[in-house]
Amino acid sequence: VEELLKKSYLVGAAGDLQQITGLARQMVVTFGMSKLGLWSLMGFSGQSADVIMRMMARNSMSEKPAEDIDAAVKRISDRAYEIALRQVRINREAMDKIVEVLLEK
């Protein structure tokens, strides 16, 4: 979104990308919100999905599920980015007016 507003990426964008990636990973791994279906990597011992993902990464037999998860996370992240850009474009005039009013005060 910052690229649309300022024609460059700002430091805040890195934090935004980390947040959407983390949220998308939760959507896929914890809540089953992808084509992979409803399943969870939360073990009975209460280990987090990230710990289990790291354990899976060490095991070559588990590469395919990890790749599928990464692809699902990327699809969700890419879609969220498209929606954000579209909303900024649609509301750009209103955003500029709000900024103008705020700068006057």
Side-chain angles (χ1 to χ4, degrees), residues 29-92:
V29 172
T30 305
F31 304 117
M33 298 172 71
S34 74
K35 293 178 183 177
L36 300 176
L38 184 59
W39 59 286
S40 177
L41 291 179
M42 183 63 79
F44 292 111
S45 65
Q47 290 179 318
S48 74
D50 286 338
V51 171
I52 295 170
M53 287 295 292
R54 278 185 257 138
M55 289 173 18
M56 285 174 60
R58 292 186 191 133
N59 181 349
S60 63
M61 295 291 287
S62 300
E63 287 180 18
K64 178 71 169 121
E67 289 171 3
D68 291 346
I69 290 167
D70 288 343
V73 168
K74 180 158 178 29
R75 279 191 298 274
I76 291 170
S77 299
D78 288 349
R79 181 69 179 129
Y81 180 76
E82 291 169 12
I83 291 168
L85 281 180
R86 185 175 61 241
Q87 290 303 314
V88 168
R89 286 184 182 118
I90 290 170
N91 296 296
R92 179 63 190 258

